[in-house]
């Protein structure tokens, strides 16, 4: 993936991601998040992860964000209600963020890129490869994720039920 | 298509399996239960926990790190922590059997969520793969977020759950980013290959950033400064038994994973991370102790005290090597018993609708109910570090490990902090015995389950303090099995 393509996607991605938190209207924020997810899916395609890209769009952008929008519309949030007060911590946060970026930049400047270009196996990123890995090497994480989802569902019902 | 099934070692995953099955049974049985029978779920959970503890006890001494493609370990370290989590969960369930009626929490899912949180903890302690550690952490955390908010009638509980969830999700993001950067630096997410890479090639800037982000993520979970800001509000707002579970269990699980990754896997580059953990440990002890001095709500005071104890545990991590790791594990058991006992007494003093959490409510308690007063005295003195109780022996081991490793100033800071902490712990004892009490009309009654829990904690505190060498050598042997 060459330099131009990377930044041609990265700059809109960062702008859209910032708009998610910066825009006053919650519906607009959710739609900006959908755009972020689409742009990320393009990155997955460039990394040869076809299945993950497809799942990202179908499940995350398609199902989960639709649920987000349902909840936002059910709560009927107005743009004004989400304006938070200014605490003065905003300035400290910006200074802290700039210092962090400077540190990261200094640290990474001294390092050489040690990631070599390796050849990928034939069926990398396909459904078959992902499925066979999930049921052989990653069997235990798969099952524990099942328990995690059970906990999440039980928790959501406990907290939301009257 | 080439599907070779992985090597499944059922023994390694047995505690996790037993606890999940008990949790699912509890969920299932809850459907047919009437409201007044819900304590049966507690007894079911307790049975499951006791069976799991017995199986874990029998598994001690096994050594197998190759099960599930090298992701799940069955070594003495994991078994030690399985037993600790069973102890914590068992005492919490015992306390809850009495507390849930007082607090009017009628959800049967409470017990199931405690069991699933314990499942997450067992996964965190035994996993040798960063992704699996993260999954265990998330399972435990989501269950605890819900438990923090389960007191539906109280707004403080909603606040506690929301704060914990938002900050916890953010910290998990840091942890995951750290895992990703370590993968980029070392080429693997499994602890074995990472240790080999780090041993052969030392550290790189990418690895340093990854380690820093991991420290942020784990530091949040153990309430280290400056990631501790959520602790007082969350501990104060949650139901008291859930607070006890969080203060002890979540911390123990986070330290189990933290110690396995840093003391064992990243041990070769310890000079890189010991400096920053030194500063975090010193800050944590100091901030925790000094802020606890001015608290008058006992749950908030115990929250700040748990921040301070996380500082002592971080001193053990800085000390490292065999003595530091063994001291860490010993102190986690010690701290668990003391803290669970203290929270048990807080539960006992509370009444329906009136939690009696202020320090003034403890006035004269020593005379109105001598058994409760004596138990609280034992726990408060142990938390301060007074011999011959287990708090003293735990701190002794930690500070000797620090001195042996050459961190004399850190040990001095730790001892000074223990002296400062004596003020707010002994203040509770002074309140109980040397002040006249305004009458809390009903005497707190120690119904069987809660009384049993406090008794077990008190006996453990005294016994482990008077005979420390047996448990210390057991902790030492468990830690050595990592290596």
């Amino acid at each position: 993936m060459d330099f131009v393509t990377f930044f041609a996607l990265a700059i809109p991605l960062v702008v859209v991601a910032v708009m998610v938190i910066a825009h006053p209207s919650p519906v607009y924020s959710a739609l900006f998040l959908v755009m972020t997810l689409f742009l990320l899916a393009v990155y997955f395609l460039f990394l040869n992860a076809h299945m993950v890209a497809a799942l990202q769009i179908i499940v995350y952008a398609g199902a989960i964000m639709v649920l987000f929008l349902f909840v936002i519309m059910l709560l009927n949030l107005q743009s004004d209600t989400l304006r938070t007060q200014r605490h003065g911590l905003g300035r400290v946060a910006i200074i802290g963020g700039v210092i962090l970026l400077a540190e990261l930049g200094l640290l990474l400047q001294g390092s050489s890129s040690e990631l070599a270009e390796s050849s990928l196996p034939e069926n990398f990123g396909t459904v078959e490869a992902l499925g066979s890995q999930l049921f052989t090497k990653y069997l235990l994480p798969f099952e524990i994720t099942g328990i995690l989802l059970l906990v999440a569902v039980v928790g959501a019902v406990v907290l939301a039920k009257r | 298509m080439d599907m070779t099934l992985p090597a499944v070692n059922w023994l390694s995953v047995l505690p996790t399996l037993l606890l999940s099955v008990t949790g699912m049974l509890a969920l299932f049985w809850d459907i047919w239960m009437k409201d007044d029978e819900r304590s049966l779920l507690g007894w079911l959970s307790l049975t499951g926990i006791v069976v799991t503890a017995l199986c874990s006890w029998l598994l001690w001494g096994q050594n197998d790190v190759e099960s599930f493609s090298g992701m799940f370990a069955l070594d003495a370290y994991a078994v030690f922590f399985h037993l600790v989590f069973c102890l914590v969960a068992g005492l919490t369930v015992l306390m809850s059997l009495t507390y849930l009626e007082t607090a009017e929490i009628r959800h049967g899912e409470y017990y199931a969520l405690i069991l699933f949180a314990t499942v997450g903890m067992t996964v965190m302690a035994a996993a040798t793969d960063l992704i699996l550690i993260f999954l265990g952490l998330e399972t435990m955390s989501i269950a605890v977020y819900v438990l923090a908010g389960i007191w539906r009638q109280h707004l403080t509980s909603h606040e506690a759950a929301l704060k914990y969830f938002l900050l916890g999700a953010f910290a998990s993001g840091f942890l995951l980013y750290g895992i990703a950067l370590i993968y980029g630096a070392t080429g693997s997410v499994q602890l074995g290959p990472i240790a080999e890479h780090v041993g052969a090639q030392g550290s790189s800037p990418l690895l340093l950033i990854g380690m820093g982000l991991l420290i942020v993520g784990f530091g949040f979970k153990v309430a280290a400064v400056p990631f501790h800001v959520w602790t007082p509000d969350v501990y104060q707002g949650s139901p008291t038994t859930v607070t006890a579970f969080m203060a002890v269990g979540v911390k123990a699980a986070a330290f189990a994973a933290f110690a396995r990754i840093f003391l064992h896997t990243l041990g070769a580059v310890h000079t890189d991370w010991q400096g920053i953990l030194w500063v975090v440990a010193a800050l944590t002890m100091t901030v925790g102790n000094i802020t606890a001095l001015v608290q008058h709500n006992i749950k908030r005071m115990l929250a700040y005290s748990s921040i301070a104890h996380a500082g002592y545990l971080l001193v053990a991590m800085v000390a490292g090597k065999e003595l530091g790791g063994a001291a860490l594990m010993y102190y986690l058991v010690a701290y668990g018993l003391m803290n669970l006992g203290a929270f048990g007494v807080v539960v006992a003093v509370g009444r329906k609708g009136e939690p009696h959490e202020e320090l003034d409510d403890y006035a004269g308690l020593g005379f109105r109910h001598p058994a409760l007063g004596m138990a609280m005295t034992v726990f408060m003195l142990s938390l301060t570090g007074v011999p011959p109780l287990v708090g003293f022996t735990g701190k002794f081991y930690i500070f000797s490990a620090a001195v042996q490793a050459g961190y004399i100033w850190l040990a001095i800071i730790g001892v000074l902090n223990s002296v400062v902490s004596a003020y707010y712990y002994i203040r509770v004892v002074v309140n109980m015995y040397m002040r006249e009490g305004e009458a809390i009309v009903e005497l707190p009654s120690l119904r069987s389950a809660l009384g049993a829990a406090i008794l077990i904690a008190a006996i453990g505190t005294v016994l482990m303090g008077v005979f420390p060498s047996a448990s210390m050598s057991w902790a030492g042997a468990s830690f050595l099995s990592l290596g």
Side-chain angles (χ1 to χ4, degrees):
Chain A
M1 188 178 187
D2 63 289
F3 198 76
V4 175
T5 328
F6 181 84
F7 278 101
L9 281 171
I11 294 174
L13 183 64
V14 172
V15 168
V16 169
V18 171
M19 288 307 293
V20 172
I21 51 174
H23 200 283
S25 162
V27 177
Y28 274 79
S29 292
L31 292 174
F32 278 125
L33 189 55
V34 174
M35 275 180 68
T36 315
L37 295 170
F38 264 95
L39 288 169
L40 270 178
V42 178
Y43 272 115
F44 288 145
L45 282 175
F46 272 108
L47 289 171
N48 270 308
H50 322 121
M51 163 99 157
V52 182
L55 280 177
Q56 169 103 330
I57 295 181
I58 297 173
V59 175
Y60 210 160
I64 296 178
M65 289 313 300
V66 170
L67 227 79
F68 266 46
L69 281 164
F70 276 167
V71 173
I72 292 175
M73 289 182 209
L74 268 173
L75 292 175
N76 202 15
L77 293 166
Q78 308 298 325
S79 305
D80 303 327
T81 57
L82 291 186
R83 274 242 181 266
T84 51
Q85 306 165 304
R86 300 202 155 267
H87 300 277
L89 283 177
R91 265 164 251 144
V92 178
I94 292 180
I95 295 174
V98 166
I99 292 179
L100 181 66
L101 280 178
E103 281 175 9
L104 286 175
L106 275 174
L107 213 51
L108 286 173
Q109 221 179 32
S111 76
S112 61
S113 164
E114 49 208 68
L115 304 167
E117 188 68 40
S118 60
S119 61
L120 298 168
E122 257 308 309
N123 60 347
F124 184 85
T126 57
V127 181
E128 177 196 352
L130 197 66
S132 74
Q133 285 295 300
L134 265 185
F135 284 99
T136 53
K137 185 171 176 211
Y138 292 96
L139 180 63
L140 188 60
F142 180 62
E143 301 296 335
I144 302 292
T145 312
I147 295 188
L148 172 60
L149 290 172
L150 176 66
V151 172
V153 168
V154 169
V157 171
V158 164
L159 287 180
K161 189 174 70 169
R162 289 206 164 275
Chain B
M1 190 162 74
D2 179 25
M3 290 267 289
T4 48
L5 289 174
V8 172
N9 184 349
W10 291 106
L11 284 180
S12 68
V13 86
L14 191 63
T16 313
L17 204 60
L18 284 172
L19 284 169
S20 346
V21 166
T22 318
M24 291 184 220
L25 277 176
L27 269 182
F28 211 47
W29 196 12
D30 181 37
I31 303 176
W32 286 288
M33 278 204 153
K34 306 190 197 3
D35 260 345
D36 46 0
E37 296 177 329
R38 293 231 190 265
S39 59
L40 285 177
L41 284 174
W43 293 110
L44 169 70
S45 319
L46 202 58
T47 320
I49 291 172
V50 168
V51 171
T52 311
L54 277 172
C55 291
S56 309
W57 182 267
L58 292 171
L59 282 173
W60 201 83
Q62 303 254 349
N63 211 314
D64 177 10
V65 285
E66 281 311 307
S67 62
F68 291 104
S69 322
M71 285 198 188
F72 211 67
L74 177 63
D75 45 16
Y77 183 81
V79 172
F80 181 91
F81 276 107
H82 290 329
L83 284 165
V84 171
F85 301 144
C86 286
L87 175 71
V88 172
L91 285 177
T92 309
V93 168
L94 269 178
M95 293 197 301
S96 314
L97 282 167
T98 313
Y99 181 65
L100 290 188
E101 297 168 40
T102 321
E104 292 176 329
I105 296 174
R106 294 199 188 85
H107 299 273
E109 293 92 343
Y110 175 93
Y111 293 109
L113 284 169
I114 291 204
L115 286 166
F116 286 129
T118 321
V119 167
M121 292 179 195
T122 53
V123 170
M124 274 180 82
T128 51
D129 182 302
L130 287 173
I131 304 261
L132 198 53
I133 291 180
F134 180 74
L135 276 173
L137 183 100
E138 283 303 300
T139 311
M140 170 188 78
S141 302
I142 291 186
V144 176
Y145 300 155
V146 175
L147 282 169
I150 209 169
W151 215 354
R152 304 291 306 283
Q153 307 94 316
H154 292 242
L155 264 175
T156 49
S157 188
H158 297 200
E159 174 197 358
L162 198 63
K163 277 186 182 169
Y164 198 11
F165 172 61
L166 287 177
L167 289 176
F170 201 54
S172 295
F174 272 95
L175 188 70
L176 205 52
Y177 203 170
I179 293 177
L181 288 179
I182 289 188
Y183 175 68
T186 58
S188 169
V189 275
Q190 296 205 343
L191 294 185
I194 293 178
E196 283 170 23
H197 178 103
V198 161
Q201 302 190 16
S203 70
S204 57
L206 209 58
L207 185 70
L208 286 175
I209 303 176
M211 288 197 291
L213 290 171
L214 274 188
I215 291 179
V216 172
F218 279 117
F220 171 86
K221 277 295 161 210
V222 304
V225 169
F227 318 114
H228 68 292
V229 195
W230 57 274
T231 312
D233 294 326
V234 172
Y235 280 26
Q236 187 182 7
S238 316
T240 316
T241 45
V242 173
T243 311
F245 190 61
M246 279 196 280
V248 180
V250 173
K251 222 182 275 285
F255 268 113
F258 204 3
R260 194 189 272 271
I261 296 177
F262 277 82
L263 287 182
H264 176 60
T265 311
L266 296 171
V269 288
H270 62 93
T271 44
D272 287 321
W273 52 261
Q274 267 172 351
I276 196 170
L277 274 188
W278 194 107
V279 175
V280 171
L283 272 178
T284 310
M285 290 189 284
T286 317
V287 168
N289 276 310
I290 292 187
T291 335
L293 290 175
V294 297
Q295 301 302 322
H296 49 83
N297 178 307
I298 200 162
K299 273 169 82 171
R300 226 171 154 81
M301 180 201 98
L302 284 172
Y304 278 110
S305 103
S306 78
I307 295 177
H309 283 276
Y312 302 134
L313 287 161
L314 283 169
V315 170
M317 271 202 66
V318 172
K321 302 202 199 80
E322 293 89 24
L323 190 54
L328 176 78
M329 294 164 73
Y330 179 85
Y331 198 67
L332 277 171
V333 181
Y335 166 73
L337 286 169
M338 304 189 283
N339 228 15
L340 278 169
F343 276 112
V345 177
V346 174
V347 168
V349 174
R351 309 275 84 217
K352 196 173 279 204
E354 265 291 318
H356 291 314
E357 287 168 5
E358 299 295 314
L359 220 56
D360 298 331
D361 297 317
Y362 285 77
L365 190 69
F367 299 113
R368 279 180 288 121
H369 203 135
L372 211 55
M374 193 161 68
M376 193 58 159
T377 312
V378 166
F379 298 131
M380 288 291 126
L381 287 180
S382 183
L383 282 165
T384 317
V386 170
L389 298 168
V390 75
F392 167 73
T393 47
K395 282 187 186 161
F396 174 73
Y397 286 130
I398 289 183
F399 294 139
S400 10
V403 168
Q404 259 188 29
Y407 294 101
I408 313 232
W409 272 109
L410 200 57
I412 293 179
I413 295 177
V415 171
L416 287 176
N417 272 302
S418 301
V419 173
V420 168
S421 75
Y423 172 75
Y424 59 85
Y425 288 129
I426 311 276
R427 181 170 57 179
V428 177
V429 181
V430 165
N431 255 356
M432 286 196 299
Y433 284 105
M434 300 186 194
R435 272 183 57 188
E436 286 300 310
E438 290 87 30
I440 303 177
V441 183
E442 323 127 68
L443 286 178
S445 70
L446 286 180
R447 274 175 248 137
S448 53
L450 179 59
I454 299 179
L455 190 64
I456 293 175
I459 290 180
T461 308
V462 174
L463 272 185
M464 269 183 75
V466 175
F467 302 110
S469 49
S471 18
M472 184 62 180
S473 57
W474 183 43
S478 306
F479 186 73
L480 283 176
S481 79
L482 271 186

